[in-house]
Every structure is written in structure tokens, then in C-alpha cells.
Amino acid sequence: MVSATRPTPLHTVDSHLSATDQASLLNGEILMQTRSHSLIGAGVTARMFLPTPRPQAWTQLTHYPSWTQFFPDINRSEVLSTVDRSSSVEHRLHQTARKDFFLLAVQVEIYMKVTETQDQRLRFQFERGSFSDFSADLTLQDYGPGTILTYSVEATPLIPVPSLFIQEAIRHDLPSNMRQMRQVICAAG
């Protein structure tokens, strides 16, 4: 007798997700929560289901030059240095992006440290660039034959753009960027 692989219940991934949210994730939707961060900054947490195993997703996500394929606004993503520690790997990254906000085109640049916890978490820490602060966490958790990816980011730009405009731009752009990320990761598998 062959037993079917049953997905790990999502409540083990996040106990705050309703049954409707769980079904939405499995149907390919991107779940998002935006929030204010500082006076002119914004924060967002986005979740999606990847129909690929966590190690495969990890391999794609930690190939940082590929981030230009995940997020079309990023036009450069390069690793400047790498330090391999016993429990984690740290990289220094440099990324540039161009974003059109309504009638304004903005070019941004960021240098950051990325700490990798094998197959589970990427923590992005701001060093310098076009923001007064920036931090992000990307976590991967098994879900049956696939993976739940959770991406949380908080940033405050140096350009004084009201938080409401930044949240609206995120609400508009991030779901399509996350779907693009899923498409690239799945195509590589």
C-alpha cells in the first residue's frame, strides 16, 4: 500500500493564517500585509507557495546575480565578498535599481550584508546606499512537496516620499515581482 504525501499543515508554518489564506497560497496567490515604517518609510510581508522543494528554491535564491530576473526593477546584483562561518555564510552585496514613482524616476543603490542560515533564512542588513534604513528577511519552510516563502522588508528612502505612496507602490508591484520570482525558480527546476 502506497501512502500519499500529505502537506504539512500550514498552521505549523504560521498559526495566524486562516483556512482561506492557506487555500489562497496553494492556489498561487501572494498574501501581503503593508505597514508604515518610520515617518516616510514602509514595511511589507509577503508570502507565497513555491511548488518546489526547499533546497531547490534555496539554490536559486542564493544565486544573487539572479535577483535581476526575480525583480525587474533591479538592474544590478553582485556579490562583493563572502565569508563562510561554521553556522552561516555572509555575503556583501551591491544592488542597483530603477523605479518609476508616478511621474518621478528614481535610481537607488544599496550595499548590504546578507547572512544565510542554510536552506532556511536570508537576513539582509543595510550598510549604505540610497536609504536611511533597510532590512529584510526571507524565510523558507517546507510545505508538503513545496515550500512557503515569506519575505519581509522595511525601508526608509532618503528621498522624502510619503509613506502612503511607498505602501501603494509596494502593494502594486510586489505581487507581480513575487510571481516572477516563482516562475524563474520553478523554470530552473
Side-chain angles (χ1 to χ4, degrees), residues 108-141:
V108 296
E109 174 179 53
I110 188 168
Y111 290 86
M112 61 191 144
K113 180 173 74 172
V114 181
T115 303
E116 300 176 357
T117 304
Q118 184 62 38
D119 289 350
Q120 295 176 1
R121 181 180 186 192
L122 301 174
R123 169 169 247 153
F124 298 85
Q125 295 173 295
F126 178 72
E127 290 183 341
R128 63 185 162 97
S130 304
F131 298 89
S132 57
D133 69 72
F134 176 93
S135 65
D137 281 304
L138 187 149
T139 58
L140 299 174
Q141 292 180 290

PDB file of all heavy atoms in Angstrom, residues 108-141:
ATOM      1  N   VAL A 108      18.136  53.858  -7.333  1.00  0.00           N
ATOM      2  CA  VAL A 108      18.598  53.586  -5.976  1.00  0.00           C
ATOM      3  C   VAL A 108      19.767  52.615  -6.010  1.00  0.00           C
ATOM      4  O   VAL A 108      19.930  51.845  -6.955  1.00  0.00           O
ATOM      5  CB  VAL A 108      17.471  53.023  -5.066  1.00  0.00           C
ATOM      6  CG1 VAL A 108      16.369  54.042  -4.882  1.00  0.00           C
ATOM      7  CG2 VAL A 108      16.932  51.722  -5.596  1.00  0.00           C
ATOM      8  N   GLU A 109      20.553  52.683  -4.951  1.00  0.00           N
ATOM      9  CA  GLU A 109      21.730  51.832  -4.817  1.00  0.00           C
ATOM     10  C   GLU A 109      21.822  51.421  -3.357  1.00  0.00           C
ATOM     11  O   GLU A 109      21.536  52.208  -2.457  1.00  0.00           O
ATOM     12  CB  GLU A 109      22.967  52.631  -5.227  1.00  0.00           C
ATOM     13  CG  GLU A 109      24.275  51.935  -5.006  1.00  0.00           C
ATOM     14  CD  GLU A 109      25.437  52.796  -5.467  1.00  0.00           C
ATOM     15  OE1 GLU A 109      25.536  53.960  -5.035  1.00  0.00           O
ATOM     16  OE2 GLU A 109      26.244  52.270  -6.250  1.00  0.00           O
ATOM     17  N   ILE A 110      22.217  50.173  -3.139  1.00  0.00           N
ATOM     18  CA  ILE A 110      22.333  49.702  -1.761  1.00  0.00           C
ATOM     19  C   ILE A 110      23.488  48.712  -1.648  1.00  0.00           C
ATOM     20  O   ILE A 110      23.719  47.889  -2.532  1.00  0.00           O
ATOM     21  CB  ILE A 110      21.011  49.061  -1.271  1.00  0.00           C
ATOM     22  CG1 ILE A 110      21.074  48.751   0.222  1.00  0.00           C
ATOM     23  CG2 ILE A 110      20.649  47.835  -2.082  1.00  0.00           C
ATOM     24  CD1 ILE A 110      19.736  48.383   0.828  1.00  0.00           C
ATOM     25  N   TYR A 111      24.220  48.865  -0.556  1.00  0.00           N
ATOM     26  CA  TYR A 111      25.234  47.898  -0.148  1.00  0.00           C
ATOM     27  C   TYR A 111      24.693  47.256   1.115  1.00  0.00           C
ATOM     28  O   TYR A 111      24.232  47.962   2.026  1.00  0.00           O
ATOM     29  CB  TYR A 111      26.566  48.584   0.150  1.00  0.00           C
ATOM     30  CG  TYR A 111      27.248  49.127  -1.081  1.00  0.00           C
ATOM     31  CD1 TYR A 111      26.929  50.394  -1.562  1.00  0.00           C
ATOM     32  CD2 TYR A 111      28.200  48.375  -1.761  1.00  0.00           C
ATOM     33  CE1 TYR A 111      27.550  50.905  -2.698  1.00  0.00           C
ATOM     34  CE2 TYR A 111      28.825  48.879  -2.892  1.00  0.00           C
ATOM     35  CZ  TYR A 111      28.485  50.137  -3.358  1.00  0.00           C
ATOM     36  OH  TYR A 111      29.102  50.642  -4.478  1.00  0.00           O
ATOM     37  N   MET A 112      24.724  45.941   1.176  1.00  0.00           N
ATOM     38  CA  MET A 112      24.178  45.257   2.341  1.00  0.00           C
ATOM     39  C   MET A 112      24.925  43.968   2.623  1.00  0.00           C
ATOM     40  O   MET A 112      25.584  43.410   1.749  1.00  0.00           O
ATOM     41  CB  MET A 112      22.689  45.002   2.155  1.00  0.00           C
ATOM     42  CG  MET A 112      22.341  44.131   0.983  1.00  0.00           C
ATOM     43  SD  MET A 112      20.570  44.163   0.696  1.00  0.00           S
ATOM     44  CE  MET A 112      20.561  44.084  -1.079  1.00  0.00           C
ATOM     45  N   LYS A 113      24.774  43.534   3.852  1.00  0.00           N
ATOM     46  CA  LYS A 113      25.313  42.238   4.272  1.00  0.00           C
ATOM     47  C   LYS A 113      24.146  41.260   4.273  1.00  0.00           C
ATOM     48  O   LYS A 113      23.056  41.572   4.761  1.00  0.00           O
ATOM     49  CB  LYS A 113      25.915  42.336   5.674  1.00  0.00           C
ATOM     50  CG  LYS A 113      26.484  41.012   6.168  1.00  0.00           C
ATOM     51  CD  LYS A 113      27.214  41.168   7.474  1.00  0.00           C
ATOM     52  CE  LYS A 113      26.253  41.357   8.605  1.00  0.00           C
ATOM     53  NZ  LYS A 113      26.862  41.336   9.934  1.00  0.00           N
ATOM     54  N   VAL A 114      24.367  40.080   3.709  1.00  0.00           N
ATOM     55  CA  VAL A 114      23.357  39.031   3.706  1.00  0.00           C
ATOM     56  C   VAL A 114      23.920  37.862   4.492  1.00  0.00           C
ATOM     57  O   VAL A 114      25.009  37.363   4.198  1.00  0.00           O
ATOM     58  CB  VAL A 114      23.012  38.556   2.280  1.00  0.00           C
ATOM     59  CG1 VAL A 114      21.949  37.482   2.315  1.00  0.00           C
ATOM     60  CG2 VAL A 114      22.582  39.713   1.411  1.00  0.00           C
ATOM     61  N   THR A 115      23.191  37.448   5.507  1.00  0.00           N
ATOM     62  CA  THR A 115      23.583  36.287   6.304  1.00  0.00           C
ATOM     63  C   THR A 115      22.659  35.143   5.936  1.00  0.00           C
ATOM     64  O   THR A 115      21.436  35.264   6.017  1.00  0.00           O
ATOM     65  CB  THR A 115      23.481  36.589   7.809  1.00  0.00           C
ATOM     66  OG1 THR A 115      24.286  37.732   8.098  1.00  0.00           O
ATOM     67  CG2 THR A 115      23.961  35.401   8.635  1.00  0.00           C
ATOM     68  N   GLU A 116      23.244  34.037   5.511  1.00  0.00           N
ATOM     69  CA  GLU A 116      22.488  32.848   5.118  1.00  0.00           C
ATOM     70  C   GLU A 116      22.506  31.823   6.240  1.00  0.00           C
ATOM     71  O   GLU A 116      23.565  31.475   6.738  1.00  0.00           O
ATOM     72  CB  GLU A 116      23.110  32.190   3.880  1.00  0.00           C
ATOM     73  CG  GLU A 116      23.161  33.045   2.656  1.00  0.00           C
ATOM     74  CD  GLU A 116      23.870  32.353   1.499  1.00  0.00           C
ATOM     75  OE1 GLU A 116      24.371  31.212   1.662  1.00  0.00           O
ATOM     76  OE2 GLU A 116      23.949  32.976   0.422  1.00  0.00           O
ATOM     77  N   THR A 117      21.345  31.353   6.624  1.00  0.00           N
ATOM     78  CA  THR A 117      21.220  30.203   7.506  1.00  0.00           C
ATOM     79  C   THR A 117      20.728  29.070   6.613  1.00  0.00           C
ATOM     80  O   THR A 117      19.607  29.122   6.110  1.00  0.00           O
ATOM     81  CB  THR A 117      20.225  30.476   8.650  1.00  0.00           C
ATOM     82  OG1 THR A 117      20.658  31.644   9.350  1.00  0.00           O
ATOM     83  CG2 THR A 117      20.147  29.297   9.601  1.00  0.00           C
ATOM     84  N   GLN A 118      21.563  28.092   6.376  1.00  0.00           N
ATOM     85  CA  GLN A 118      21.394  27.067   5.347  1.00  0.00           C
ATOM     86  C   GLN A 118      19.962  26.600   5.121  1.00  0.00           C
ATOM     87  O   GLN A 118      19.324  26.089   6.038  1.00  0.00           O
ATOM     88  CB  GLN A 118      22.281  25.857   5.659  1.00  0.00           C
ATOM     89  CG  GLN A 118      22.261  24.778   4.612  1.00  0.00           C
ATOM     90  CD  GLN A 118      22.765  25.239   3.244  1.00  0.00           C
ATOM     91  OE1 GLN A 118      23.702  26.018   3.144  1.00  0.00           O
ATOM     92  NE2 GLN A 118      22.133  24.764   2.194  1.00  0.00           N
ATOM     93  N   ASP A 119      19.499  26.767   3.906  1.00  0.00           N
ATOM     94  CA  ASP A 119      18.195  26.296   3.419  1.00  0.00           C
ATOM     95  C   ASP A 119      17.001  26.871   4.176  1.00  0.00           C
ATOM     96  O   ASP A 119      15.893  26.378   4.032  1.00  0.00           O
ATOM     97  CB  ASP A 119      18.095  24.772   3.475  1.00  0.00           C
ATOM     98  CG  ASP A 119      18.954  24.077   2.436  1.00  0.00           C
ATOM     99  OD1 ASP A 119      19.485  24.750   1.535  1.00  0.00           O
ATOM    100  OD2 ASP A 119      19.103  22.853   2.530  1.00  0.00           O
ATOM    101  N   GLN A 120      17.200  27.901   5.009  1.00  0.00           N
ATOM    102  CA  GLN A 120      16.092  28.379   5.825  1.00  0.00           C
ATOM    103  C   GLN A 120      15.869  29.882   5.776  1.00  0.00           C
ATOM    104  O   GLN A 120      14.736  30.323   5.688  1.00  0.00           O
ATOM    105  CB  GLN A 120      16.289  27.979   7.289  1.00  0.00           C
ATOM    106  CG  GLN A 120      16.244  26.513   7.512  1.00  0.00           C
ATOM    107  CD  GLN A 120      16.542  26.164   8.962  1.00  0.00           C
ATOM    108  OE1 GLN A 120      16.761  27.032   9.806  1.00  0.00           O
ATOM    109  NE2 GLN A 120      16.562  24.894   9.258  1.00  0.00           N
ATOM    110  N   ARG A 121      16.946  30.678   5.873  1.00  0.00           N
ATOM    111  CA  ARG A 121      16.735  32.107   6.070  1.00  0.00           C
ATOM    112  C   ARG A 121      17.848  32.938   5.448  1.00  0.00           C
ATOM    113  O   ARG A 121      19.027  32.600   5.545  1.00  0.00           O
ATOM    114  CB  ARG A 121      16.695  32.401   7.567  1.00  0.00           C
ATOM    115  CG  ARG A 121      16.453  33.836   7.903  1.00  0.00           C
ATOM    116  CD  ARG A 121      16.437  34.012   9.397  1.00  0.00           C
ATOM    117  NE  ARG A 121      16.061  35.369   9.739  1.00  0.00           N
ATOM    118  CZ  ARG A 121      16.177  35.871  10.939  1.00  0.00           C
ATOM    119  NH1 ARG A 121      16.652  35.130  11.924  1.00  0.00           N
ATOM    120  NH2 ARG A 121      15.825  37.106  11.185  1.00  0.00           N
ATOM    121  N   LEU A 122      17.431  34.055   4.841  1.00  0.00           N
ATOM    122  CA  LEU A 122      18.347  35.088   4.379  1.00  0.00           C
ATOM    123  C   LEU A 122      18.013  36.356   5.160  1.00  0.00           C
ATOM    124  O   LEU A 122      16.858  36.771   5.179  1.00  0.00           O
ATOM    125  CB  LEU A 122      18.170  35.368   2.885  1.00  0.00           C
ATOM    126  CG  LEU A 122      18.388  34.206   1.925  1.00  0.00           C
ATOM    127  CD1 LEU A 122      18.032  34.628   0.512  1.00  0.00           C
ATOM    128  CD2 LEU A 122      19.819  33.729   1.999  1.00  0.00           C
ATOM    129  N   ARG A 123      19.010  36.944   5.792  1.00  0.00           N
ATOM    130  CA  ARG A 123      18.801  38.197   6.531  1.00  0.00           C
ATOM    131  C   ARG A 123      19.649  39.272   5.849  1.00  0.00           C
ATOM    132  O   ARG A 123      20.871  39.146   5.768  1.00  0.00           O
ATOM    133  CB  ARG A 123      19.210  38.051   7.981  1.00  0.00           C
ATOM    134  CG  ARG A 123      19.247  39.400   8.681  1.00  0.00           C
ATOM    135  CD  ARG A 123      19.398  39.292  10.144  1.00  0.00           C
ATOM    136  NE  ARG A 123      18.121  39.783  10.646  1.00  0.00           N
ATOM    137  CZ  ARG A 123      17.579  39.448  11.766  1.00  0.00           C
ATOM    138  NH1 ARG A 123      18.158  38.583  12.542  1.00  0.00           N
ATOM    139  NH2 ARG A 123      16.436  39.973  12.134  1.00  0.00           N
ATOM    140  N   PHE A 124      18.973  40.308   5.348  1.00  0.00           N
ATOM    141  CA  PHE A 124      19.621  41.407   4.646  1.00  0.00           C
ATOM    142  C   PHE A 124      19.756  42.587   5.606  1.00  0.00           C
ATOM    143  O   PHE A 124      18.756  43.049   6.152  1.00  0.00           O
ATOM    144  CB  PHE A 124      18.786  41.840   3.434  1.00  0.00           C
ATOM    145  CG  PHE A 124      18.611  40.757   2.401  1.00  0.00           C
ATOM    146  CD1 PHE A 124      17.601  39.821   2.527  1.00  0.00           C
ATOM    147  CD2 PHE A 124      19.448  40.686   1.299  1.00  0.00           C
ATOM    148  CE1 PHE A 124      17.421  38.820   1.582  1.00  0.00           C
ATOM    149  CE2 PHE A 124      19.280  39.690   0.344  1.00  0.00           C
ATOM    150  CZ  PHE A 124      18.268  38.754   0.489  1.00  0.00           C
ATOM    151  N   GLN A 125      20.986  43.085   5.783  1.00  0.00           N
ATOM    152  CA  GLN A 125      21.244  44.201   6.693  1.00  0.00           C
ATOM    153  C   GLN A 125      21.913  45.340   5.929  1.00  0.00           C
ATOM    154  O   GLN A 125      22.939  45.144   5.264  1.00  0.00           O
ATOM    155  CB  GLN A 125      22.117  43.751   7.856  1.00  0.00           C
ATOM    156  CG  GLN A 125      21.430  42.722   8.734  1.00  0.00           C
ATOM    157  CD  GLN A 125      22.372  42.173   9.772  1.00  0.00           C
ATOM    158  OE1 GLN A 125      23.351  41.512   9.440  1.00  0.00           O
ATOM    159  NE2 GLN A 125      22.080  42.451  11.030  1.00  0.00           N
ATOM    160  N   PHE A 126      21.346  46.508   6.045  1.00  0.00           N
ATOM    161  CA  PHE A 126      21.799  47.712   5.373  1.00  0.00           C
ATOM    162  C   PHE A 126      23.192  48.126   5.836  1.00  0.00           C
ATOM    163  O   PHE A 126      23.480  48.117   7.024  1.00  0.00           O
ATOM    164  CB  PHE A 126      20.788  48.828   5.674  1.00  0.00           C
ATOM    165  CG  PHE A 126      21.119  50.166   5.091  1.00  0.00           C
ATOM    166  CD1 PHE A 126      21.000  50.379   3.735  1.00  0.00           C
ATOM    167  CD2 PHE A 126      21.524  51.205   5.894  1.00  0.00           C
ATOM    168  CE1 PHE A 126      21.283  51.626   3.189  1.00  0.00           C
ATOM    169  CE2 PHE A 126      21.805  52.451   5.368  1.00  0.00           C
ATOM    170  CZ  PHE A 126      21.682  52.660   4.005  1.00  0.00           C
ATOM    171  N   GLU A 127      24.042  48.475   4.869  1.00  0.00           N
ATOM    172  CA  GLU A 127      25.339  49.066   5.183  1.00  0.00           C
ATOM    173  C   GLU A 127      25.363  50.527   4.745  1.00  0.00           C
ATOM    174  O   GLU A 127      25.661  51.399   5.535  1.00  0.00           O
ATOM    175  CB  GLU A 127      26.472  48.283   4.513  1.00  0.00           C
ATOM    176  CG  GLU A 127      26.680  46.913   5.129  1.00  0.00           C
ATOM    177  CD  GLU A 127      27.844  46.163   4.507  1.00  0.00           C
ATOM    178  OE1 GLU A 127      28.280  46.502   3.380  1.00  0.00           O
ATOM    179  OE2 GLU A 127      28.314  45.208   5.158  1.00  0.00           O
ATOM    180  N   ARG A 128      25.033  50.779   3.474  1.00  0.00           N
ATOM    181  CA  ARG A 128      24.970  52.153   2.983  1.00  0.00           C
ATOM    182  C   ARG A 128      24.236  52.159   1.644  1.00  0.00           C
ATOM    183  O   ARG A 128      24.069  51.121   1.012  1.00  0.00           O
ATOM    184  CB  ARG A 128      26.349  52.774   2.846  1.00  0.00           C
ATOM    185  CG  ARG A 128      27.252  52.084   1.848  1.00  0.00           C
ATOM    186  CD  ARG A 128      28.654  52.700   1.874  1.00  0.00           C
ATOM    187  NE  ARG A 128      29.613  51.824   1.266  1.00  0.00           N
ATOM    188  CZ  ARG A 128      30.024  51.920   0.007  1.00  0.00           C
ATOM    189  NH1 ARG A 128      29.559  52.853  -0.778  1.00  0.00           N
ATOM    190  NH2 ARG A 128      30.912  51.073  -0.477  1.00  0.00           N
ATOM    191  N   GLY A 129      23.786  53.347   1.265  1.00  0.00           N
ATOM    192  CA  GLY A 129      23.107  53.463  -0.013  1.00  0.00           C
ATOM    193  C   GLY A 129      22.034  54.525  -0.005  1.00  0.00           C
ATOM    194  O   GLY A 129      22.079  55.470   0.788  1.00  0.00           O
ATOM    195  N   SER A 130      21.050  54.359  -0.861  1.00  0.00           N
ATOM    196  CA  SER A 130      20.003  55.350  -1.108  1.00  0.00           C
ATOM    197  C   SER A 130      18.846  55.266  -0.118  1.00  0.00           C
ATOM    198  O   SER A 130      17.736  55.677  -0.441  1.00  0.00           O
ATOM    199  CB  SER A 130      19.459  55.173  -2.528  1.00  0.00           C
ATOM    200  OG  SER A 130      20.485  55.244  -3.478  1.00  0.00           O
ATOM    201  N   PHE A 131      19.090  54.731   1.043  1.00  0.00           N
ATOM    202  CA  PHE A 131      18.075  54.602   2.080  1.00  0.00           C
ATOM    203  C   PHE A 131      18.646  55.131   3.381  1.00  0.00           C
ATOM    204  O   PHE A 131      19.857  55.108   3.588  1.00  0.00           O
ATOM    205  CB  PHE A 131      17.674  53.131   2.285  1.00  0.00           C
ATOM    206  CG  PHE A 131      17.058  52.498   1.076  1.00  0.00           C
ATOM    207  CD1 PHE A 131      17.844  51.869   0.130  1.00  0.00           C
ATOM    208  CD2 PHE A 131      15.687  52.539   0.877  1.00  0.00           C
ATOM    209  CE1 PHE A 131      17.282  51.295  -0.993  1.00  0.00           C
ATOM    210  CE2 PHE A 131      15.116  51.969  -0.246  1.00  0.00           C
ATOM    211  CZ  PHE A 131      15.912  51.349  -1.188  1.00  0.00           C
ATOM    212  N   SER A 132      17.772  55.572   4.275  1.00  0.00           N
ATOM    213  CA  SER A 132      18.271  55.898   5.604  1.00  0.00           C
ATOM    214  C   SER A 132      18.277  54.641   6.465  1.00  0.00           C
ATOM    215  O   SER A 132      19.039  54.541   7.413  1.00  0.00           O
ATOM    216  CB  SER A 132      17.464  57.016   6.263  1.00  0.00           C
ATOM    217  OG  SER A 132      16.114  56.681   6.341  1.00  0.00           O
ATOM    218  N   ASP A 133      17.417  53.668   6.119  1.00  0.00           N
ATOM    219  CA  ASP A 133      17.490  52.335   6.736  1.00  0.00           C
ATOM    220  C   ASP A 133      16.848  51.327   5.800  1.00  0.00           C
ATOM    221  O   ASP A 133      16.032  51.662   4.946  1.00  0.00           O
ATOM    222  CB  ASP A 133      16.819  52.304   8.117  1.00  0.00           C
ATOM    223  CG  ASP A 133      15.318  52.464   8.051  1.00  0.00           C
ATOM    224  OD1 ASP A 133      14.629  51.518   7.614  1.00  0.00           O
ATOM    225  OD2 ASP A 133      14.824  53.531   8.449  1.00  0.00           O
ATOM    226  N   PHE A 134      17.272  50.084   5.930  1.00  0.00           N
ATOM    227  CA  PHE A 134      16.759  48.987   5.120  1.00  0.00           C
ATOM    228  C   PHE A 134      17.067  47.692   5.849  1.00  0.00           C
ATOM    229  O   PHE A 134      18.178  47.497   6.331  1.00  0.00           O
ATOM    230  CB  PHE A 134      17.438  48.956   3.738  1.00  0.00           C
ATOM    231  CG  PHE A 134      17.025  47.783   2.891  1.00  0.00           C
ATOM    232  CD1 PHE A 134      15.972  47.901   2.000  1.00  0.00           C
ATOM    233  CD2 PHE A 134      17.671  46.563   2.997  1.00  0.00           C
ATOM    234  CE1 PHE A 134      15.576  46.817   1.226  1.00  0.00           C
ATOM    235  CE2 PHE A 134      17.288  45.477   2.229  1.00  0.00           C
ATOM    236  CZ  PHE A 134      16.232  45.611   1.338  1.00  0.00           C
ATOM    237  N   SER A 135      16.088  46.809   5.930  1.00  0.00           N
ATOM    238  CA  SER A 135      16.326  45.460   6.446  1.00  0.00           C
ATOM    239  C   SER A 135      15.299  44.540   5.802  1.00  0.00           C
ATOM    240  O   SER A 135      14.198  44.971   5.452  1.00  0.00           O
ATOM    241  CB  SER A 135      16.216  45.397   7.971  1.00  0.00           C
ATOM    242  OG  SER A 135      14.901  45.687   8.383  1.00  0.00           O
ATOM    243  N   ALA A 136      15.677  43.287   5.631  1.00  0.00           N
ATOM    244  CA  ALA A 136      14.765  42.308   5.038  1.00  0.00           C
ATOM    245  C   ALA A 136      15.109  40.923   5.551  1.00  0.00           C
ATOM    246  O   ALA A 136      16.261  40.639   5.883  1.00  0.00           O
ATOM    247  CB  ALA A 136      14.842  42.346   3.511  1.00  0.00           C
ATOM    248  N   ASP A 137      14.089  40.094   5.627  1.00  0.00           N
ATOM    249  CA  ASP A 137      14.245  38.679   5.970  1.00  0.00           C
ATOM    250  C   ASP A 137      13.472  37.865   4.953  1.00  0.00           C
ATOM    251  O   ASP A 137      12.333  38.201   4.617  1.00  0.00           O
ATOM    252  CB  ASP A 137      13.668  38.374   7.361  1.00  0.00           C
ATOM    253  CG  ASP A 137      14.602  38.775   8.473  1.00  0.00           C
ATOM    254  OD1 ASP A 137      15.748  38.298   8.468  1.00  0.00           O
ATOM    255  OD2 ASP A 137      14.184  39.556   9.336  1.00  0.00           O
ATOM    256  N   LEU A 138      14.085  36.814   4.485  1.00  0.00           N
ATOM    257  CA  LEU A 138      13.424  35.875   3.594  1.00  0.00           C
ATOM    258  C   LEU A 138      13.562  34.502   4.240  1.00  0.00           C
ATOM    259  O   LEU A 138      14.674  34.073   4.528  1.00  0.00           O
ATOM    260  CB  LEU A 138      14.087  35.897   2.216  1.00  0.00           C
ATOM    261  CG  LEU A 138      13.395  35.098   1.128  1.00  0.00           C
ATOM    262  CD1 LEU A 138      13.640  35.763  -0.220  1.00  0.00           C
ATOM    263  CD2 LEU A 138      13.844  33.668   1.091  1.00  0.00           C
ATOM    264  N   THR A 139      12.430  33.857   4.516  1.00  0.00           N
ATOM    265  CA  THR A 139      12.469  32.537   5.143  1.00  0.00           C
ATOM    266  C   THR A 139      11.773  31.520   4.252  1.00  0.00           C
ATOM    267  O   THR A 139      10.844  31.851   3.505  1.00  0.00           O
ATOM    268  CB  THR A 139      11.802  32.533   6.530  1.00  0.00           C
ATOM    269  OG1 THR A 139      10.450  32.963   6.403  1.00  0.00           O
ATOM    270  CG2 THR A 139      12.541  33.438   7.493  1.00  0.00           C
ATOM    271  N   LEU A 140      12.245  30.304   4.331  1.00  0.00           N
ATOM    272  CA  LEU A 140      11.686  29.181   3.587  1.00  0.00           C
ATOM    273  C   LEU A 140      11.275  28.105   4.574  1.00  0.00           C
ATOM    274  O   LEU A 140      12.041  27.779   5.488  1.00  0.00           O
ATOM    275  CB  LEU A 140      12.722  28.602   2.622  1.00  0.00           C
ATOM    276  CG  LEU A 140      13.268  29.530   1.550  1.00  0.00           C
ATOM    277  CD1 LEU A 140      14.385  28.844   0.772  1.00  0.00           C
ATOM    278  CD2 LEU A 140      12.164  29.988   0.617  1.00  0.00           C
ATOM    279  N   GLN A 141      10.062  27.558   4.379  1.00  0.00           N
ATOM    280  CA  GLN A 141       9.600  26.467   5.222  1.00  0.00           C
ATOM    281  C   GLN A 141       8.944  25.403   4.351  1.00  0.00           C
ATOM    282  O   GLN A 141       8.200  25.731   3.422  1.00  0.00           O
ATOM    283  CB  GLN A 141       8.605  26.974   6.264  1.00  0.00           C
ATOM    284  CG  GLN A 141       9.274  27.878   7.288  1.00  0.00           C
ATOM    285  CD  GLN A 141       8.297  28.369   8.321  1.00  0.00           C
ATOM    286  OE1 GLN A 141       7.430  29.167   8.019  1.00  0.00           O
ATOM    287  NE2 GLN A 141       8.444  27.883   9.545  1.00  0.00           N
TER     288      GLN A 141
END
